Amino acid sequence: MGKVAVGAAVVCAAAVCAAAALVVRHRMRCSRKWARAMAILREFEENCGTPIGKLRQVADAMTVEMHAGLASEGGSKLKMLISYVDNLPSGDEKGLFYALDLGGTNFRAIRVLLGGKHGGVVKQEFEEVSIPPHLMTGSSDALFDYIAAALARFVATEGEGLHPSPGRQRELGFTFSFPVRQTSIASGNLMKWTKGFSIEDAVGQDVVGELTKAMERIGLDMMCVSALVNDTVGTLAGGRFYNPDVIAAVILGTGTNAAYVERAHAIPKWHGLLPKSGEMVINMEWGNFSPPNLKIPFILRTPNMSAMHHDTSSDLRVVGSKLKDILEIPSTSLKMRKAIVELCDIVATRGARLSAAGIVGILKKLGRDTVKDGEKQKSVVALDGGLYEHYSKFSTCMESALKELLGEEVSDNIVIEHSNDGSGIGAALLAASNSQYLEVEES
């Protein structure tokens, strides 16, 4: 019996040793694989590096491309589109104004009551409407008739005190977030559809004209479009309404863009009469920007990716590629979570610092990147977009990079302000500041 017990003990001990050896080997393999995961992460971090010297080069390159884009059409990687907005809101606007925000499979109708000087936005209401899939590939008339009908139903819900003055049309700001070649403050021809839309007979047409004809067909003739804008210009308008020191706006969400207020005489490609304000809002379309001769583009690439138009989804594809590499390596869930958080922070830090360099490029173009003769000039940049609003790591890194690039003295005069819903309220405010009745009210 004793021999049996000893034999059993020996067998058990051998089994335990074998199991322990397997555990040790497994842990060693996991350790090696985790080391490889960390190596992938470190390499990615190095490739995403944004040292201050490179950021200064990005800012300088941005300024150069801005000059080139203002000089001639197609002369720059920045489109530098003339928005025809030369009269931004002042905060004194008064009355009832509407906005229509069309940028995807849903659209919004917005109603805003403005209280005049010191009155601000007294009341705002909106309704969101889904667009049936068949209308996204049908005819121009069918789409705009559907939108006009929904707009008419929304107008019919005006409550007490929410009516235009007798004899006046309701005025609308139209946010149309598709590529448009703008021809005036209230007209622009559709260049192409995106976001799943494919309506051939609308391409090349004036989208304001298409909406206007649809409103007339259903009897909504007491409404006119006073401004055609995109969300970035709307964000700038919303910021200026509350703060006269706002000189630029930046969108940081699923995509990115910037707009700013330029001196009209500094736009060589502008051939019209100089506006009374002496200013013109420029829609930069800076998502196209990639600094020449720098190994630090606005887009992220992996060896298997070609260059692509920059938007946040481009960055997400790269993050997804690296996540796939890391997730294939066994590890504890806690380690994995930490690695994923670190990966996201690497991309956020890079994007935030590049955004700061872009803003500095705008400030340099306007001569607001230095303190001249001891004069401190306040410059406010209005920001909107979920990335900036909801990702604190991003906003903190961006503002830190601005201070690093500009220095304490100048950065003290640069203010970043959140400006919400440029595609909605901003468009209504532009309808107000470009109202056909302004001269009547001033006389």
Side-chain angles (χ1 to χ4, degrees), residues 215-233:
M215 290 192 295
E216 290 172 351
R217 282 194 292 268
I218 64 165
L220 190 60
D221 50 359
M222 288 301 290
M223 175 172 275
C224 66
V225 178
S226 297
L228 174 66
V229 300
N230 74 352
D231 57 353
T232 316
V233 175

Side-chain angles (χ1 to χ4, degrees), residues 159-360:
E160 186 177 350
L162 292 175
H163 300 286
S165 300
R168 292 191 176 186
Q169 288 182 301
R170 295 172 180 85
E171 295 185 281
L172 175 91
F174 185 13
T175 300
F176 188 77
S177 298
F178 300 90
V180 165
R181 190 176 303 282
Q182 198 141 353
T183 52
S184 75
I185 182 64
S187 62
N189 299 325
L190 174 64
M191 298 169 66
K192 65 176 182 179
W193 287 105
T194 57
K195 307 172 186 177
F197 283 78
S198 180
I199 304 172
E200 291 185 8
D201 65 341
V203 177
Q205 299 300 312
D206 175 12
V207 294
V208 172
E210 294 296 288
L211 177 61
T212 301
K213 287 185 290 185
M215 290 192 295
E216 290 172 351
R217 282 194 292 268
I218 64 165
L220 190 60
D221 50 359
M222 288 301 290
M223 175 172 275
C224 66
V225 178
S226 297
L228 174 66
V229 300
N230 74 352
D231 57 353
T232 316
V233 175
T235 298
L236 178 53
R240 180 65 75 90
F241 180 75
Y242 292 103
N243 191 330
D245 292 322
V246 168
I247 50 95
V250 176
I251 300 291
L252 294 164
T254 54
T256 181
N257 191 20
Y260 76 103
V261 183
E262 182 59 271
R263 296 153 294 187
H265 64 77
I267 311 173
K269 68 181 181 181
W270 171 254
H271 302 301
L273 295 174
L274 290 179
K276 292 180 182 179
S277 66
E279 298 179 335
M280 179 67 71
V281 174
I282 299 295
N283 171 20
M284 292 177 64
E285 292 293 340
W286 79 0
N288 292 324
F289 179 64
S290 183
N293 304 320
L294 295 178
K295 295 180 179 178
I296 184 169
F298 256 30
I299 58 175
L300 286 175
R301 297 187 181 99
T302 67
N304 297 321
M305 289 172 64
S306 59
M308 64 179 70
H309 179 81
H310 175 76
D311 58 22
T312 310
S313 62
S314 307
D315 289 354
L316 289 176
R317 287 181 205 139
V318 179
V319 174
S321 172
K322 292 302 176 185
L323 275 176
K324 183 175 180 292
D325 291 342
I326 292 173
L327 288 172
E328 287 175 348
I329 298 168
S331 185
T332 65
S333 60
L334 180 59
K335 276 187 175 181
M336 190 62 67
R337 284 199 297 270
K338 287 181 177 179
I340 291 170
V341 169
E342 187 174 356
L343 182 64
C344 293
D345 283 349
I346 288 169
V347 176
T349 298
R350 171 193 174 278
R353 289 174 66 81
L354 282 174
S355 299
I359 291 171
V360 171

Side-chain angles (χ1 to χ4, degrees), residues 152-165:
R153 290 193 297 271
F154 183 62
V155 168
T157 64
E158 285 179 349
E160 186 177 350
L162 292 175
H163 300 286
S165 300

Side-chain angles (χ1 to χ4, degrees), residues 390-417:
H390 302 300
Y391 195 171
S392 59
K393 173 80 174 180
F394 189 98
S395 56
T396 301
C397 284
M398 190 186 74
E399 292 177 27
S400 175
L402 279 172
K403 289 184 179 180
E404 194 176 350
L405 284 162
L406 295 169
E408 288 290 337
E409 187 177 14
V410 176
S411 62
D412 284 346
N413 300 311
I414 309 301
V415 179
I416 304 296
E417 285 187 355

